[in-house]
Every structure is written in structure tokens, then in C-alpha cells.
Amino acid sequence: LFYSIRMPNLKLQSNDQEIITVEVAIAEQSLTIKTMLDGLGMDDIDDEPIPLPNVNGAILRKVLDWCKRHKDDPPYPEDDENKEKRTDDIPPWDQDFLKVDQGTLFELILAANYLDIKGLLDVACKTVANMIKGKTPEEIRKTFNIVNDFSPQEEEQISKENAWCEEK
């Protein structure tokens, strides 16, 4: 005989009023949600949804998909200022997960930041870093549809000030 252990669920409400029911263990990958729940006390989870005013329903569902996939991952390591930052270590599943249009990618970054999901924030930012890596400022502007509003003089000044960071 198999007994299934039911994990408690909670409801999250996106800024477009979509209500999504999710296991507490999955939602708690968000330190923002975990802090809210710790503040409420686990016994106080009722049918009242937790409002997430900075995230729409489509992005919240996508974030929760990532959280489900990573629910058994070890805790995300603390930032080590001295550790070299790498962008070539994005797991294959995450690479596929983040093959989305730029708008979605940036919304995922904003949601991961707001919800304090370090693992998702890290792989999403690395994805953007890889989109920039090796490109000239003009290529970067084209990739991200950024209008250059510098005068030629301002651009020359910035190039001089930042010559030290140009890859040789």
C-alpha cells in the first residue's frame, strides 16, 4: 500500500488577478514568499491568496515551472565577491527554459528579483550576459533595440574613460 503525503498548498494572486495554487515547498523557493509565510505562521495559510503585485499570471506560471523543476536542488550558494563569475555553466534544461523572447526574459529577471529566487535570477542574467558577450556597443544596441542618445563627443569621452575595460 502506498500512502501519498500531501504537501500543503497555497494560492498566489498575480497582478492580473490570476490565482494559481501551488505546493508550499515549491512556492518557498521564493524567499519573498517564504518570508511572508514565516511572518504569517504556517497555520495561518487559508484560502486567501497571497498577492504578488509585481508579477503577471503568465510570468508567474513560468517562474513556478522553474521552481518545480528545481525544488530538490541544494540551497543556492551565497554570493562570493571573489569568485569568478561564469556564464558558461547554465544547465541544459535552464538554457531551453530561457529560450524565450527578450520581453519574457526581462520579465522573468524582474520577477526572480522581486520574488528573490536567486537560482533563476542567476541563470536568466547569465543568459543576457551571453547575449552581450563579444559584441560591440552598436551590436548590443541593435540586439536590445536601444537608441543611442549620446552625441559623438559624449561617446568619445565614455570610450576614453572606459578604455581599461575593453577586451584586448
Side-chain angles (χ1 to χ4, degrees):
L1 218 46
F2 290 100
Y3 294 98
S4 69
I5 299 171
R6 248 182 62 66
M7 295 299 295
N9 287 333
L10 62 90
K11 292 178 180 170
L12 303 175
Q13 183 173 12
S14 63
N15 63 9
D16 52 359
Q17 309 313 309
E18 185 173 339
I19 296 180
I20 300 168
T21 302
V22 64
E23 284 180 22
V24 170
I26 289 168
E28 282 187 335
Q29 287 185 65
S30 159
L31 295 183
T32 302
I33 293 172
K34 185 172 178 16
T35 301
M36 285 181 197
L37 292 176
D38 290 347
L40 290 171
M42 284 301 288
D43 298 337
D44 293 344
I45 298 177
D46 52 16
D47 281 344
E48 208 48 46
I50 295 173
L52 299 173
N54 293 10
V55 187
N56 71 45
I59 294 297
L60 181 57
R61 281 194 311 279
K62 195 141 176 72
V63 167
L64 293 172
D65 287 345
W66 187 94
C67 289
K68 283 178 199 143
R69 170 69 185 200
H70 292 277
K71 73 179 188 330
D72 297 322
D73 289 3
Y76 203 75
E78 288 298 311
D79 274 344
D80 181 355
E81 294 300 318
N82 301 320
K83 187 177 173 225
E84 185 181 338
K85 303 283 190 244
R86 297 179 52 187
T87 62
D88 62 352
D89 58 349
I90 303 171
W93 188 91
D94 289 341
Q95 289 177 31
D96 287 341
F97 177 83
L98 292 168
K99 284 181 181 162
V100 294
D101 63 88
Q102 278 183 24
T104 301
L105 180 59
F106 288 120
E107 283 195 56
L108 285 168
I109 289 171
L110 291 172
N113 185 51
Y114 167 67
L115 294 170
D116 199 357
I117 305 171
K118 288 184 176 35
L120 176 55
L121 183 60
D122 189 53
V123 294
C125 287
K126 285 179 179 184
T127 299
V128 173
N130 287 334
M131 294 167 78
I132 293 171
K133 194 180 279 183
K135 291 192 167 148
T136 65
E138 197 48 51
E139 291 169 326
I140 293 168
R141 284 188 198 105
K142 190 172 180 176
T143 299
F144 297 106
N145 297 315
I146 299 169
V147 175
N148 182 4
D149 57 358
F150 290 121
S151 70
Q153 296 81 6
E154 289 171 321
E155 204 159 331
E156 189 178 334
Q157 180 64 33
I158 291 167
S159 289
K160 284 179 188 167
E161 289 171 3
N162 295 291
W164 61 271
C165 69
E166 293 296 319
E167 288 187 43
K168 301 289 178 225

